Amino acid sequence: NVNVGDLVGEPGATRLMFQIVDNRLLDLTVTVPSIEMGRLRLGQPLTFHTDAFPGKTFSGKIKFINPAVSEADRSVKVIAEVPNSPEVLKGGLYAKGRIITGQRRDVLQIPRSALLSWDVGAKKGEVFIVRQDQAFRQAIQTGSLSGDWVEVVSGIQKGEQVITRGGFNVKNGDRVKITSLNGGK
């Protein structure tokens, strides 16, 4: 940031000569949609990954939640503290992750690809289920989204078979032949 011969500490000088960085504990700044801000708490854990280290997951915890919502995109700025030992992460990397706001067990989920229609706001969707080798269009109530999996609150039961691929070619009452079962959640 400076050239050889420049004076350091001149009155009124605004140029930085160098900066010392401690990479052992990093701050990760993320934005969270304002619709989710009611679920945020200090100390909540988060996990994330970065393209710089494919397949490796890092973790941290929330240490600051901005008290104001961004007017530009209606998001909340959150800062998490991330231990960085060994010091592999560097400042400026892009990261993608999740803040863990709670845990639930025995949640029924289907692949997002199984949805024929989905009104995210109303939390309603439709899928084709298979009963006695026939496809039947079924309305469902949806819940949370986790990656490519959508929670089903009501409308289908655990163990029911759902068409996950090619549903756009199926009509209500069509005979179907199951070619493979996806491990399902």
Side-chain angles (χ1 to χ4, degrees):
N1 291 331
V2 294
N3 296 315
V4 174
D6 286 350
L7 294 177
V8 180
E10 285 183 34
T14 58
R15 295 196 309 188
L16 227 58
M17 190 163 138
F18 59 88
Q19 191 171 11
I20 297 174
V21 177
D22 182 359
N23 270 347
R24 293 175 295 176
L25 193 61
L26 297 176
D27 284 345
L28 173 65
T29 304
V30 298
T31 55
V32 176
S34 60
I35 194 167
E36 301 290 342
M37 73 182 191
R39 298 169 62 182
L40 297 175
R41 303 283 180 266
L42 292 177
Q44 278 176 321
L46 64 89
T47 59
F48 66 96
H49 61 275
T50 177
D51 290 341
F53 301 99
K56 185 156 174 58
T57 301
F58 300 93
S59 60
K61 62 182 176 181
I62 296 177
K63 76 171 192 178
F64 174 77
I65 302 168
N66 195 347
V69 173
S70 166
E71 291 182 22
D73 62 359
R74 300 293 180 224
S75 66
V76 178
K77 183 173 154 182
V78 174
I79 298 176
E81 192 172 73
V82 177
N84 188 25
S85 179
E87 297 175 35
V88 293
L89 293 172
K90 306 293 183 218
L93 289 173
Y94 286 100
K96 184 174 183 179
R98 296 182 178 167
I99 297 173
I100 301 163
T101 59
Q103 292 182 339
R104 298 183 299 155
R105 304 228 183 272
D106 299 323
V107 174
L108 180 61
Q109 293 179 310
I110 59 172
R112 191 180 208 167
S113 62
L115 293 165
L116 302 170
S117 65
W118 188 22
D119 183 340
V120 178
K123 296 190 176 234
K124 293 180 181 180
E126 290 184 313
V127 296
F128 272 121
I129 59 170
V130 179
R131 287 192 189 126
Q132 299 170 348
D133 296 329
Q134 279 188 293
F136 295 97
R137 196 174 190 109
Q138 179 68 40
I140 62 170
Q141 193 75 30
T142 61
S144 300
L145 175 67
S146 179
D148 287 332
W149 293 90
V150 178
E151 176 186 12
V152 177
V153 176
S154 65
I156 59 175
Q157 302 297 317
K158 183 176 181 176
E160 285 190 290
Q161 294 175 328
V162 178
I163 296 176
T164 59
R165 291 178 51 189
F168 55 88
N169 288 323
V170 179
K171 290 190 231 52
N172 204 28
D174 279 356
R175 303 221 25 98
V176 294
K177 180 179 178 185
I178 298 172
T179 56
S180 70
L181 290 174
N182 187 359
K185 282 191 168 187

